[in-house]
DNA sequence: GCAAGATGGTTTACCCTCTAAAAAAACCAG
DNA sequence: CTGGTTTTTTTAGAGGGTAAACCATCTTGC
């Protein structure tokens, strides 16, 4: 059997995904976990070992014969992840564990043809830089702000790029010869977290990020929540301007939307109106030093995020909400207001509590998530979520 | 093979659920639909015909040999559905198509033992009344307001009943000898809709109802959204008191929750404060006649529902939202305010629109949903979602 | 009316996957 | 070393699936 042409059966994929979720397991453990017989596991594992997808790791000594723990080989496949979430674009080369082996930044181009050309060249550089790690390059993922078609090839709309119905997936696949998946930035982020991040395997959690705009995505029943038309997760236009906030008009035509208060763009605009620096770190410093306008702007922004988070928690009951924020905002009035407002608007039940975590905002997260799209296909096959 | 002891394989259930979803189909259509060979379908269908679960319905004439459409036999099984959503409790006897064959009302008792006894006796009466339709009684479903354990047997908390950790499922199952499932009222309602209602098979929709309290549930990716701790769908405490509304204190400790404005209880309270009749029909009549306070109360209640609906639509992107309302409210200021407010807070995209439907509020819906819990088990087997 | 063509359903032979049970392997304890 | 224990492999067989040929039953065109 040719190593690259992995024709994996459903049984193989069950094992692969179980180990990739739960970490290294022995054959017998897998049998119990998957409800298959030891005989089946044995045969399936043999195939996966032959194909260099799994490896026998260490012996675990107990009472009888020691069990050998089986792990997914990191070098079984590698992937390219591209984030077009911000300018510059970030390209990563990752392995099957999600580890990054090479990194590249490129200017984010608006013209689709030029963008494809630039990305394809970037991928070539990554392959060189990655060396051995790029051996079994198996796919490309692209994360971008905007809506993506159901087949995950075409960007339907992206205001950031000015794109409408740009089939960048097929274009890049043809240019590079590698299967390519396109995904909304927030969706890519949470899918990466679900496959490789600390919350890997959690069936119900949400992620939010505060950037130029505000993004959000949900894992529900263990799967990405897309909604009827792929628009699930949109939280930017949640009505949050409650009593005491001035409701600003939004580009969507309404007033009091979340993104008119809490996005970095909105915060910058408010700072400019108050004749304060628009840089978020400087603003956070001023707030920490007690500057009243800075405090007010960030408090308002954080509170609005808190209300939206509370709405989210009430409606979806996730186990965790991860909020990706510029690190200067974590331990600031923004972060505290977010936490307080969220806490106070959640109906508490005994023994049940959604954890809200802050995490640093970094463009790498989107690129890693994009890479995980291709990894997901490698692991789960055509029926990947 | 004993007809009652249906030991159905995954293949059998695939066929059963496909027909139950999509309506009557021929063998060849099923083969295409399920991706199985005609040979497999033929064998599986034979078993189901022998067990009197399917029947050959009509010949459909085309160019070649006519196809025989296969339908699920309504009398293949029957189910009891119990709604404890309101007082009185409603009990229904339904068949496998969701058709009601007998109906009974009972006082809703607070004492768990008495409630089980009363329900068990009620089920006996239903069986007599149902006659032939009760022949293959296969299970019981119970819908109640409150939280239900993960195994769907125990009511964890229900303020309406004053219950805490009442294992009514096991109790009724032991008393009647029939498998029993317990479910939150809103969840039962939407599961019934998903299996038997007009939106049957839709993978992404939500239902809301306005009763004494406000309930909500979501179908997402074709499955019920339960959340991490079974609390998904809670919308009663969504923060909706935006500028211009007075934010009333809520029993949950916050202010401005949806249920402080839009529930029938809240509407009644507001009416009493305004020295108006608390009956919802009378209030709607007064509003229709132009009484200012009645107009204001219902407008505010409807607007708040509209905002909550908009939050829901933005976050989940459902294809439909069904709002169950007292019929006097549909074409009233309440209904219009709901629609307007929802419309105005949704970010519109071209070609994409969530349909909002009103439907009559009736306790039968909850009982039918409860019955569908047992039907779901019959059709989908132990892995029923 | 009757062959030709088209389509639906069934039968047959076979393959693949999974299972149960026995056997083999690998370790610990005395 | 021997017996006990647990993991893994081997082996024989059952179950569920398929492809392909076959049969059944209609419409259509002459």
């Amino acid at each position: 059997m040719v190593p690259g042409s992995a024709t994996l059966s459903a049984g193989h994929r069950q094992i692969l995904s179980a180990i990739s979720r739960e970490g290294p397991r022995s054959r017998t453990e897998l049998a119990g976990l998957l409800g298959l017989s030891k005989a089946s596991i044995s045969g399936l594992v043999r195939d996966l070992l032959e194909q260099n997808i799994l490896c026998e790791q260490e012996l675990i000594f107990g009472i009888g014969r020691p069990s050998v723990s089986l792990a997914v080989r990191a070098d079984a496949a590698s992937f390219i992840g591209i984030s077009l979430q911000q300018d510059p674009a970030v390209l990563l080369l990752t392995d099957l564990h999600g580890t990054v082996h090479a990194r590249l930044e490129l200017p984010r181009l608006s013209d689709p043809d030029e963008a494809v050309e630039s990305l394809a060249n970037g991928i070539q550089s990554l392959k060189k830089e990655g060396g051995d790690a790029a051996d079994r390059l198996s796919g490309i993922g692209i994360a971008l702000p905007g809506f993506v078609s159901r087949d995950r090839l075409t960007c339907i709309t992206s205001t950031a790029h000015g794109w409408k119905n740009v089939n960048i997936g097929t274009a890049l696949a043809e240019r590079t010869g590698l299967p390519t998946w396109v995904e909304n930035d927030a969706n890519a982020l949470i899918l990466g977290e679900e496959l490789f991040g600390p919350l890997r395997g959690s069936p119900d959690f949400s992620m939010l990020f505060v950037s130029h705009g505000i993004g959000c995505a949900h894992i529900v029943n263990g799967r990405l929540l897309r909604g009827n038309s792929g628009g699930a997760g949109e939280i930017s236009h949640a009505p949050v301007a409650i009593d005491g906030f001035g409701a600003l008009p939004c580009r969507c035509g309404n007033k009091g939307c979340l993104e008119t208060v809490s996005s970095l763009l909105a915060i910058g605009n408010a700072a400019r109106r108050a004749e304060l620096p628009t840089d978020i770190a400087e603003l956070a410093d001023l707030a920490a030093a007690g500057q009243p306008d800075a405090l007010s702007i960030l408090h308002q922004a954080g509170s609005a995020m808190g209300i939206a988070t509370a709405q989210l928690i009430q409606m979806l009951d996730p186990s965790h909400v991860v909020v990706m924020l510029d690190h200067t905002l974590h331990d600031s009035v923004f972060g505290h207001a977010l936490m307080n407002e969220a806490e106070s608007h959640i109906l508490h039940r005994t023994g049940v509590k959604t954890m809200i975590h802050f995490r640093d905002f970094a463009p790498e997260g989107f690129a890693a998530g994009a890479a995980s799209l291709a990894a997901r296909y490698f692991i789960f096959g055509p029926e990947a979520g």
Side-chain angles (χ1 to χ4, degrees), chain A:
Chain A
M1 166 147 353
V2 187
S5 74
T7 47
L8 301 181
S9 75
H12 294 125
R13 296 202 183 281
Q14 267 192 80
I15 292 180
L16 194 48
S17 55
I19 297 184
S20 142
R21 284 243 130 80
E22 317 258 338
R25 294 287 139 129
S26 75
R27 291 168 175 84
T28 307
E29 284 174 314
L30 285 171
L33 213 59
L34 303 177
L36 294 179
S37 69
K38 293 195 254 181
S40 307
I41 300 290
S42 210
L44 295 168
V45 164
R46 191 192 352 264
D47 300 341
L48 292 170
L49 289 172
E50 271 171 17
Q51 291 190 39
N52 287 319
I53 294 175
L54 292 186
C55 60
E56 299 192 325
Q57 214 173 26
E58 45 173 352
L59 291 174
I60 293 168
F61 294 89
I63 295 207
R65 175 173 172 174
S67 58
V68 294
S69 74
L70 301 158
V72 176
R73 288 187 63 149
D75 61 355
S78 55
F79 313 98
I80 301 283
I82 302 173
S83 165
L84 305 180
Q85 206 269 328
Q86 289 186 331
D87 196 0
V90 176
L91 285 76
L92 296 180
L93 174 71
T94 77
D95 62 26
L96 198 41
H97 287 174
T99 309
V100 175
H101 289 270
R103 183 186 190 284
L104 183 66
E105 285 188 5
L106 288 174
R108 190 175 71 169
L109 303 175
S110 292
D111 180 79
D113 294 337
E114 291 176 16
V116 167
E117 193 56 30
S118 154
L119 292 175
N121 292 332
I123 290 168
Q124 281 306 319
S125 317
L126 277 185
K127 279 166 80 167
K128 276 188 201 125
E129 193 188 333
D132 290 351
D135 266 0
R136 296 215 253 173
L137 199 50
S138 309
I140 302 173
I142 303 178
L144 50 76
F147 289 99
V148 170
S149 65
R150 205 169 288 266
D151 60 10
R152 288 187 280 168
L153 288 169
T154 300
C155 169
I156 294 174
T157 58
S158 169
T159 47
H161 296 77
W163 286 357
K164 281 217 166 178
N165 294 314
V166 173
N167 190 335
I168 190 172
T170 305
L172 195 60
E174 283 176 355
R175 178 68 175 72
T176 60
L178 289 169
T180 305
W181 290 266
V182 185
E183 189 57 88
N184 166 267
D185 51 0
N187 287 350
L189 183 70
I190 202 166
L191 284 170
E193 179 74 18
E194 202 277 333
L195 198 61
F196 292 133
L199 292 180
R200 136 172 26 139
S202 299
D204 293 279
F205 69 99
S206 299
M207 292 185 84
L208 274 159
F209 65 85
V210 178
S211 165
H212 188 79
I214 292 169
C216 179
H218 315 282
I219 296 288
V220 148
N221 288 333
R223 291 177 53 195
L224 177 67
L225 172 50
R226 292 186 189 281
N228 177 53
S229 59
E234 256 314 311
I235 203 173
S236 321
H237 303 278
V240 292
I242 63 164
D243 287 333
F245 289 132
L248 293 170
C250 176
R251 62 189 165 99
C252 75
N254 299 320
K255 281 182 171 183
C257 296
L258 178 62
E259 74 165 26
T260 64
V261 186
S262 303
S263 69
L264 292 191
L265 184 65
I267 292 174
N269 287 341
R272 190 175 303 110
R273 283 194 299 275
E275 298 183 351
L276 292 171
T278 58
D279 179 76
I280 191 66
E282 290 181 45
L283 205 61
D285 280 348
L286 282 175
Q291 208 286 335
D293 286 342
L295 275 170
S296 159
I297 291 170
L298 291 182
H299 182 268
Q300 188 160 327
S303 298
M305 279 292 289
I307 290 173
T309 307
Q311 290 174 6
L312 188 168
I313 291 174
Q314 289 281 111
M315 199 164 319
L316 298 179
D317 184 24
S319 62
H320 301 258
V321 175
V322 178
V323 184
M324 313 259 301
L325 277 179
D326 191 279
H327 66 278
T328 58
L329 293 179
H330 289 203
D331 194 29
S332 79
V333 58
F334 183 107
H336 299 157
L338 194 165
M339 283 291 190
N340 288 337
E341 204 71 32
E343 284 292 325
S344 83
H345 280 95
I346 297 168
L347 175 66
H348 289 287
R349 284 191 291 140
T350 48
V352 175
K353 194 160 194 310
T354 296
M355 302 291 298
I356 304 178
H357 298 287
F358 288 161
R359 204 182 288 174
D360 247 26
F361 181 90
E364 276 71 16
F366 297 98
S372 84
L373 301 173
R376 193 169 282 271
Y377 181 82
F378 184 89
I379 296 173
F380 300 109
E383 290 102 48

